[in-house]
C-alpha cells in the first residue's frame, strides 16, 4: 500500500486517466473528488463488495 500525505486541493494521479483530489478536510472526515473515464466504475468499498457478492450469488 502506498501512503501519501495530501492537503486540500492537492491531487494524486493513477495511470494516465484517473485523478483523485482532496477537496476538504474537517476533523476526521476527508472529502475527495475522483475524475475517471466513464467506462471505469468507481464505488465506495462497501458498495463494491455488495456488487461482487450479488454477482457471485447470481453466477452460481
Amino acid at each position: 500500500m502506498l501512503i501519501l500525505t495530501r492537503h486540500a486541493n492537492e491531487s494524486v494521479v493513477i495511470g494516465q486517466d484517473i485523478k483523485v483530489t482532496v477537496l476538504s478536510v474537517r476533523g476526521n472526515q476527508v472529502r475527495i473528488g475522483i475524475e475517471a473515464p466513464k467506462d471505469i466504475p468507481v464505488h465506495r468499498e462497501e458498495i463494491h463488495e455488495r456488487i461482487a457478492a450479488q454477482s457471485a450469488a447470481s453466477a452460481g
Side-chain angles (χ1 to χ4, degrees):
M1 175 185 296
L2 174 64
I3 300 172
L4 300 170
T5 301
R6 299 278 75 197
H7 296 100
N9 299 314
E10 293 182 336
S11 301
V12 174
V13 177
I14 302 170
Q16 294 295 317
D17 39 353
I18 299 174
K19 182 177 178 181
V20 180
T21 303
V22 177
L23 300 176
S24 66
V25 180
R26 277 192 227 147
N28 64 350
Q29 284 191 334
V30 178
R31 292 183 66 218
I32 60 171
I34 301 169
E35 295 178 41
K38 296 273 187 209
D39 61 325
I40 297 178
V42 177
H43 301 289
R44 297 187 323 250
E45 183 177 20
E46 63 273 17
I47 301 299
H48 174 76
E49 290 171 354
R50 189 178 312 153
I51 292 168
Q54 288 174 348
S55 294
S58 66

